[in-house]
Amino acid sequence: GNSVTQMEGPVTLSEEAFLTINCTYTATGYPSLFWYVQYPGEGLQLLLKATKADDKGSNKGFEATYRKETTSFHLEKGSVQVSDSAVFLCAPKGDNFNKFYFGSGTKLNVKP
Amino acid sequence: DTEVTQTPKHLVMGMTNKKSLKCEQHMGHRAMYWYKQKAKKPPELMFVYSYEKLSINESVPSRFSPECPNSSLLNLHLHALQPEDSALYLCASSQDFMGAQYFGPGTRLLVL
């Protein structure tokens, strides 16, 4: 069946550290891939997206590349800030993800 | 304008009350969603409207009743809720099923 797997958190990093949050999915089709971010006490915000293989989505210093061969969409940032502390949710969406569900979310804590 | 608005921001209700949550978007999106989010969990899909018609109901109890009066508005009518229904209720919209979803800030509901 279709599913999405995110690395478990929380992830705790020092400011300016490199961030990777893994996301892999299983699908029989070609979903569009999204990362959402949820800051404390707020709703979800679209962070970035990619709609086809090898596309790279980027926003606010975060990047993720649609890797069809490994069915992954890992989120990266070269230098995190305290203000990046949030929950990050991976969300494939498309023909075979018609149930519109999110990954379990990964909480990021960035310490000064 | 990429804003989805939700009212009220907070709601406290008793188990015998009837209340409604409201959601509005003016992006011309034709798909609208209700999600329920419990603390430290990802959002769970409840309902999807497409072109003002209910297209997905994720086996939600009948004490939750959605309504889409027009293409910009989405309501969630609440009646005889249980304390376990206390959660953050998120509304979202997208251009179509393949597109990114844009979320409102949510209504934080407490059922006493």
Side-chain angles (χ1 to χ4, degrees):
Chain A
N2 301 316
S3 67
V4 55
T5 302
Q6 273 187 246
M7 63 187 291
E8 286 195 22
V11 174
T12 300
L13 296 173
S14 298
E15 211 164 19
E16 300 184 4
F18 185 86
L19 168 71
T20 300
I21 299 178
N22 291 340
C23 172
T24 57
Y25 64 93
T26 59
T28 54
Y30 299 97
S32 296
L33 303 174
F34 302 86
W35 275 101
Y36 284 84
V37 59
Q38 189 169 28
Y39 296 100
E42 298 185 12
L44 276 72
Q45 298 177 25
L46 175 65
L47 181 61
L48 52 83
K49 66 177 182 180
T51 57
K52 62 182 187 295
D54 300 324
D55 267 3
K56 177 185 284 187
S58 61
N59 186 25
K60 299 182 181 179
F62 291 92
E63 294 183 339
T65 301
Y66 192 140
R67 301 289 187 197
K68 180 169 169 287
E69 64 277 10
T70 55
T71 60
S72 65
F73 194 51
H74 304 324
L75 183 68
E76 296 181 337
K77 185 172 185 181
S79 176
V80 294
Q81 304 300 312
V82 173
S83 58
D84 292 326
S85 298
V87 176
F88 293 84
L89 301 104
C90 181
K93 190 165 181 288
D95 291 349
N96 298 106
F97 280 86
N98 57 1
K99 291 181 73 68
F100 308 111
Y101 61 88
F102 289 83
S104 56
T106 302
K107 185 174 183 179
L108 171 66
N109 294 318
V110 180
K111 297 188 173 181
Chain B
D1 181 8
T2 58
E3 189 178 23
V4 176
T5 59
Q6 288 187 246
T7 55
K9 289 186 177 179
H10 301 275
L11 179 62
V12 180
M13 61 186 291
M15 289 188 284
T16 59
N17 292 158
K18 285 186 180 181
K19 297 287 184 183
S20 296
L21 309 184
K22 296 185 184 300
C23 174
E24 190 167 6
Q25 57 89 13
H26 294 288
M27 294 178 277
H29 289 174
R30 304 316 299 264
M32 297 186 76
Y33 313 80
W34 280 116
Y35 288 85
K36 174 182 178 181
Q37 186 177 26
K38 302 285 274 185
K40 299 184 180 181
K41 297 289 186 182
E44 296 177 5
L45 183 68
M46 300 175 70
F47 302 104
V48 181
Y49 272 82
S50 177
Y51 289 86
E52 300 156 53
K53 294 190 187 308
L54 183 64
S55 61
I56 295 178
N57 176 341
E58 288 288 293
S59 302
V60 178
S62 60
R63 59 185 183 268
F64 295 91
S65 175
E67 178 196 18
C68 190
N70 60 55
S71 60
S72 299
L73 294 174
L74 186 66
N75 298 323
L76 186 62
H77 302 298
L78 314 173
H79 175 54
L81 294 193
Q82 304 297 310
E84 59 265 28
D85 296 321
S86 298
L88 180 67
Y89 288 84
L90 294 164
C91 173
S93 70
S94 63
Q95 184 63 42
D96 51 42
F97 279 165
M98 296 293 288
Q101 293 181 38
Y102 293 86
F103 284 80
T107 294
R108 195 163 295 280
L109 173 68
L110 178 61
V111 181
L112 300 176

